[in-house]
Amino acid sequence: MTTALHWRTEPGAPATVRAPELADAAAARDWLAAHQEELRAGLHKFGAVYLSGLPVHSVEDFALVRDELIPTATPYREKATPRSAYGSGVFSSTDLPAAQAIRPHNENSYTLTFPGLLLFGCLTAPEEGGATPVADCREVLRLLPPELVERMRAYGWVLTRTYSDTLSVGWQAAFAAESALDVERYCAENLISCQWGEDGHLRTGQVRPGIIRHPHTGDEVWFNHLAFWSQFSLDEDIREVLLEELGPDGLPFSTALGDGIALTAEDLAAVNDAYDRATVRRAWQPGDLMLVDNVLTAHARDPYRGDRRILVAMGDPVAVTDCAPSVAPAPAVSHG
């Protein structure tokens, strides 16, 4: 007889389940399989489930338990940040510098199909910091100013990207493309406008819904990269240098609401404040996993000191059209 899971819930931390003592990753896989139904119910309730004390010591161990929790993989599309690939659909969570905080976001919120589930796993815990905070996007939506929510619900949001091998990710890596024709074909199929500059740089634009509903629970959520890639989320000194050198149309990323009215620093402060108030975290320990519902929950990264090796896998693909989007995805009308 399988013993029911004991859920540990406390303020400021994600819902946590402590695994019993298990011999190896194969035993961990079997334990997860036996509790699959409970874990999925907990995931729908809490948005993220932290699993501690598992014998997951390698990429191979992680891939083994991943196959039980997320049997269907989702490719990493329209890449935006550097990651290392370890094979078997396992990646580093990010290769950005340790001192850099990563703001809350839902993975691939700007693509037409995105991962429904993310699995993070800790092989090496940092000496200090380095947690993967999570924020319930149902709560984020509730905490936002009503007028901002209504603008997003009515008009969606616009993402504009300028690709560069030095400041962001080059178009070849972003689209896994070898030619301009490959990029143009992908953009046409995925409702993205694209424009080539005289210098060969690529600029793309896409309108996406920023409020959707979870395809299984029906919960309405704030689901976008609006604040993540806003110029106002950059360090002030960095923003000033980039604007001076590149101009507002040359930034690697920029966002706006779809009504064409420029966002203010105060608007973005309100979004960041809502994320902060909805965020919980737990310090990583080797062997720990965290299963995240990517529609219900945004994730982030705290700065850290010391070695840190956190893995991620993505799967359970979800189409935005299955999420009752408040706005239909479309190419951006203008880059100007």
Side-chain angles (χ1 to χ4, degrees):
M1 181 178 175
T2 302
T3 305
L5 296 177
H6 173 67
W7 294 91
R8 177 183 167 194
T9 57
E10 54 189 342
T16 301
V17 173
R18 174 79 185 179
E21 191 169 333
L22 299 165
D24 52 25
R29 175 199 59 199
D30 294 343
W31 178 77
L32 291 167
H35 293 284
Q36 182 79 257
E37 210 170 293
E38 275 182 279
L39 289 171
R40 188 56 64 100
L43 194 62
H44 286 166
K45 179 179 180 180
F46 300 113
V49 175
Y50 197 96
L51 300 162
S52 67
L54 289 163
V56 175
H57 308 300
S58 66
V59 171
E60 293 73 24
D61 289 348
F62 180 79
L64 187 68
V65 298
R66 182 275 316 276
D67 288 346
E68 182 57 47
L69 292 170
I70 312 179
T72 306
T74 303
Y76 183 33
R77 298 185 177 94
E78 297 174 44
K79 296 176 184 176
T81 56
R83 297 182 193 268
S84 297
Y86 299 122
S88 303
V90 178
F91 300 87
S92 61
S93 60
T94 179
D95 292 341
L96 290 172
Q100 183 175 338
I102 299 175
R103 292 178 177 272
H105 60 286
N106 303 82
E107 199 67 34
N108 283 148
S109 74
Y110 46 90
T111 57
L112 299 185
T113 301
F114 41 79
L117 294 176
L118 308 175
L119 182 66
F120 294 92
C122 177
L123 298 188
T124 304
E127 295 173 28
E128 182 181 315
T132 301
V134 287
D136 188 322
C137 292
R138 295 165 290 196
E139 181 70 0
V140 173
L141 183 65
R142 188 186 69 80
L143 291 168
L144 285 166
E147 62 275 12
L148 189 59
V149 169
E150 289 313 308
R151 287 174 65 195
M152 179 66 88
R153 184 176 282 117
Y155 301 106
W157 67 293
V158 180
L159 169 63
T160 304
R161 294 180 63 177
T162 301
Y163 300 80
S164 163
D165 290 321
T166 54
L167 289 177
S168 57
V169 176
W171 60 262
Q172 295 91 337
F175 293 99
E178 295 182 0
S179 70
L181 186 60
D182 292 337
V183 173
E184 291 165 8
R185 185 181 299 114
Y186 179 92
C187 289
E189 292 172 351
N190 288 274
L191 302 177
I192 301 170
S193 60
C194 65
Q195 176 180 319
W196 298 96
E198 292 181 4
D199 55 5
H201 285 170
L202 172 68
R203 198 154 183 244
T204 62
Q206 56 222 80
V207 178
R208 298 294 184 255
I211 296 175
I212 62 174
R213 289 190 179 274
H214 192 280
H216 302 299
T217 70
D219 291 319
E220 193 175 43
V221 296
W222 182 259
F223 184 84
N224 55 74
H225 275 64
L226 181 73
F228 186 87
W229 277 328
S230 167
Q231 61 166 293
F232 296 114
S233 291
L234 292 169
D235 175 85
E236 186 174 351
D237 292 337
I238 293 174
R239 183 174 74 249
E240 288 179 2
V241 170
L242 289 176
L243 286 171
E244 184 177 339
E245 291 188 3
L246 304 172
D249 293 338
L251 295 175
F253 305 96
S254 65
T255 64
L257 286 176
D259 57 10
I261 301 172
L263 287 172
T264 65
E266 290 73 24
D267 290 332
L268 268 296
V271 177
N272 287 327
D273 178 65
Y275 278 125
D276 288 344
R277 291 166 63 190
T279 291
V280 297
R281 56 173 50 78
R282 189 176 293 284
W284 284 114
Q285 296 297 324
D288 289 355
L289 302 177
M290 185 163 61
L291 186 61
V292 175
D293 186 306
N294 185 46
V295 177
L296 295 178
T297 304
H299 64 281
R301 189 198 69 182
D302 289 340
Y304 65 93
R305 187 170 56 83
D307 292 337
R308 179 186 189 268
R309 196 177 185 204
I310 306 298
L311 306 178
V312 68
M314 310 175 230
D316 193 23
V318 174
V320 68
T321 51
D322 292 333
C323 298
S326 63
V327 170
V333 173
S334 171
H335 297 300

